[in-house]
């Protein structure tokens, strides 16, 4: 199983969740929201596991924590994964949008200067602004758009730019989310939980809940759930190949 976007450090008992991921052999992209959380989160992961820790600066925190960009730059050589980063144009965060954009652009430049990273990118209320920023930094690496809700045109534009999409059970609980997922090219889609923020019903999604998107994907793609499993594994391999 694969969970391409999970906040392992924000679960009530991170060590327990990590141990369960290891026992189940789940590939997890463990994202963080501030650079100062990176080392502690990376330390949760035992050697030889399938969990990778990403260095992040979440757009909702980017303005208040922009001083952590110095730390971001210092830690960047330690990982090939960056996230959660991006832009948030929703009403609560719109007033910091200028600062968010400055931080995100700096992060993209740092990733490009480092030879390219794999990024998990937030874009709530900012789909076009995120795609504009990415299109100016194509050498920043592989872009995985997390929970990307956009028009058919925005999705087509992202796909043309070579972006990947990570989608989770929470996304499928809204009509706009379902329509976005159905419009994504099938060879670009990977599962995510966004736990513990992403929910399955009333419960925070665990990394292995990411796989609950499979039946819906089977419906959209008109293939069997087993074919979806295989396609996801192929997509994951293709992403890993692009990283090297
Ligand atoms: Mn998240």
């Amino acid at each position: 199983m694969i969970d391409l976007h999970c906040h392992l450090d924000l679960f009530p008992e991170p060590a327990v969740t990590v141990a369960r991921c290891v026992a189940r052999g789940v590939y997890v992209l463990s994202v963080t929201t501030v650079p100062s959380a990176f080392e502690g989160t990376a330390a949760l992961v035992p050697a030889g596991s399938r969990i990778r820790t990403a260095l992040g600066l979440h757009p909702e925190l980017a303005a208040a924590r922009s001083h952590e960009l110095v730390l971001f730059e210092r830690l960047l050589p330690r990982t090939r994964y960056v996230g959660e980063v991006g832009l948030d144009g929703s009403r609560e965060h719109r007033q910091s949008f200028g600062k968010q954009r400055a931080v995100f652009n700096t992060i993209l430049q740092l990733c490009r200067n480092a030879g390219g990273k794999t990024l998990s990118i937030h874009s709530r209320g900012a789909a076009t602004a995120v795609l504009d920023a990415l299109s100016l930094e194509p050498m920043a690496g592989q872009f995985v758009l997390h929970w990307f809700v956009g028009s058919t045109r925005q999705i087509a534009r992202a796909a043309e730019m070579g972006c990947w999409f990570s989608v989770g059970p929470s996304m499928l609980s809204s009509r706009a989310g379902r329509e976005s997922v159905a419009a994504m090219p099938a060879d670009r889609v990977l599962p995510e939980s966004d736990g513990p923020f992403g929910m399955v019903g009333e419960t925070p999604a665990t990394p292995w809940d990411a796989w609950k998107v499979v039946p819906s994907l089977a419906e959209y793609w008109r293939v069997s759930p087993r074919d979806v499993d295989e396609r996801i594994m192929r997509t994951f391999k293709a992403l890993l190949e692009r990283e090297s």
Side-chain angles (χ1 to χ4, degrees):
M1 283 192 281
I2 301 161
D3 178 358
L4 221 70
H5 184 107
C6 180
H7 298 266
L8 283 177
D9 61 332
L10 302 179
F11 276 80
E13 292 182 279
V16 174
T17 306
V18 166
R20 288 185 182 148
C21 290
V22 172
R24 289 164 188 255
V26 189
Y27 291 91
V28 182
L29 184 60
S30 166
V31 298
T32 54
T33 55
V34 286
S36 50
F38 176 80
E39 291 190 289
T41 306
L44 291 168
V45 178
S49 84
R50 292 168 165 178
I51 302 170
R52 299 290 178 271
T53 308
L55 174 64
L57 185 43
H58 196 289
E60 292 175 16
L61 301 167
R65 301 293 192 96
S66 58
H67 58 277
E68 288 200 35
L69 276 172
V70 180
L71 182 57
F72 185 100
E73 186 169 8
R74 197 187 318 144
L75 292 170
L76 192 57
R78 300 252 309 261
T79 179
R80 74 198 297 171
Y81 298 102
V82 166
E84 184 166 355
V85 296
L87 298 172
D88 192 305
S90 62
R91 198 189 306 184
E92 306 93 288
H93 303 287
R94 213 174 290 158
Q95 77 285 1
S96 70
F97 204 73
K99 277 187 178 165
Q100 289 181 42
R101 207 194 292 262
V103 167
F104 187 44
N105 288 340
T106 301
I107 286 170
L108 293 173
Q109 285 163 21
L110 292 170
C111 290
R112 185 230 308 148
N113 292 341
K117 301 285 180 179
T118 296
L119 292 82
S120 182
I121 302 165
H122 174 112
S123 57
R124 182 171 55 206
T128 293
V130 162
L131 296 180
D132 288 347
L134 299 179
S135 68
L136 294 174
E137 286 291 352
M139 302 307 283
Q142 298 300 313
F143 305 135
V144 185
L145 299 172
H146 132 74
W147 202 323
F148 186 82
V149 176
S151 65
T152 315
R153 273 182 76 167
Q154 287 167 324
I155 289 165
R157 181 183 175 204
E160 272 163 35
M161 288 166 56
C163 295
W164 311 79
F165 302 91
S166 61
V167 306
S170 289
M171 203 178 163
L172 298 173
S173 64
S174 81
R175 186 179 160 174
R178 285 193 297 275
E179 288 178 352
S180 293
V181 176
M184 292 168 183
D187 60 351
R188 292 285 167 147
V189 174
L190 290 158
E192 68 167 31
S193 68
D194 201 19
F197 303 114
M199 303 290 282
V200 174
E202 308 277 289
T203 318
T206 60
W208 46 96
D209 282 332
W211 221 253
K212 292 199 164 123
V213 298
V214 166
S216 298
L217 295 178
E219 200 181 299
Y220 303 146
W221 301 345
R222 298 170 196 274
V223 298
S224 70
R226 201 200 161 108
D227 289 340
V228 172
D229 286 5
E230 282 170 9
R231 170 149 267 172
I232 289 170
M233 293 313 297
R234 279 204 302 277
T235 303
F236 187 52
K237 266 190 199 151
L239 171 61
L240 297 182
E241 276 163 20
R242 288 291 188 81
E243 285 173 356
S244 49

